[in-house]
Amino acid sequence: IAWQLQLFAIIKSSPTLSANQIAEKTGANIYAIENSIRTISKYSYADLASYSRKLVSLSISFRDYQIDQNEALINLLNSFYR
């Protein structure tokens, strides 16, 4: 999840770069880049920041509390589509 959010942020902040250029810059697979480019238009910078904060908060919860990690991840992913 963190990797995908990072990739989204890179793509969002580099609108003039081609998929190939982003792939070279990040080392990511070209197909992952192309799929992310198609998907990223749905999300604003504020969305990405919010999702990143949620992920950091969840990571801290994993460390500090005994929670069901699978259930927490499912809830996090579901929150992205609300």
Side-chain angles (χ1 to χ4, degrees):
I1 298 171
W3 176 84
Q4 186 66 62
L5 287 173
Q6 179 183 13
L7 191 56
F8 280 175
I10 291 168
I11 292 167
K12 194 79 164 170
S13 65
S14 307
T16 60
L17 295 181
S18 70
N20 285 328
Q21 290 170 314
I22 294 170
E24 288 175 15
K25 179 178 178 180
T26 62
N29 181 293
I30 187 69
Y31 299 107
I33 301 294
E34 290 170 345
N35 287 332
S36 294
I37 288 171
R38 283 191 294 275
T39 302
I40 195 62
S41 64
K42 300 175 190 176
Y43 301 106
S44 68
Y45 286 109
D47 291 332
L48 295 177
S50 173
Y51 299 153
S52 295
R53 283 190 299 276
K54 288 178 181 181
L55 187 58
V56 167
S57 178
L58 186 60
S59 179
I60 291 168
S61 294
F62 286 168
R63 184 191 68 207
D64 294 345
Y65 306 104
Q66 295 229 344
I67 63 173
D68 182 335
Q69 292 184 3
N70 288 333
E71 186 70 25
L73 284 170
I74 289 169
N75 289 334
L76 175 69
L77 292 173
N78 285 333
S79 78
F80 292 172
Y81 297 101
R82 291 186 191 140

